[in-house]
Amino acid sequence: MEERGGAEKLLALAYGNHPKSSSLKPEALKVMRSLREGAKNIDELAAVLGLDLKTAGGRKHFYVLMKPLRETGMVATRKSGGKTVYYLSYDGFNQFLRDIRKEAEYWLVPEAHQG
């Protein structure tokens, strides 16, 4: 699978197509590429993104950027050495997809026996 096309599909699931959230996709791609190399702590990810976490704006931007990736299960966290470590999570994303399939079955499959 081509990296750009596949990543675009994943990011479309996470960020949708609203202009404000879509503008985060290039940075999210940087995060995903970085995490493909291995787990990173918040400071390492901030450095990849060029964010200053000491400012309120930098910290807020980081969490706004990460929220959709975490909500879809693509990125998960764990504690390691007293620090929060971010990593890619196929299992988390797979659970997200299972939940969507359940909802899709309810909403998209007409009842076999009505009435």
Side-chain angles (χ1 to χ4, degrees), residues 27 29-54 58-59 62-63 65-66 75-76 78-88:
E27 288 177 299
L29 185 58
K30 285 182 183 179
V31 167
M32 290 179 69
R33 283 183 177 144
S34 177
L35 292 177
R36 281 186 58 133
E37 297 169 3
K40 306 267 187 299
N41 66 38
I42 189 172
D43 296 322
E44 292 168 323
L45 285 177
V48 166
L49 296 167
L51 295 176
D52 181 5
L53 296 177
K54 293 180 179 126
R59 201 161 187 81
F62 177 81
Y63 288 114
L65 173 67
M66 295 304 290
V75 173
R78 68 175 179 264
K79 290 284 188 183
S80 177
K83 287 192 170 194
T84 300
V85 176
Y86 293 81
Y87 63 97
L88 294 176

Side-chain angles (χ1 to χ4, degrees), residues 98-111:
R98 280 194 298 269
D99 293 344
I100 287 177
R101 283 188 194 104
K102 285 181 196 173
E103 290 297 322
E105 184 176 4
Y106 174 80
W107 289 104
L108 303 177
V109 177
E111 294 291 328

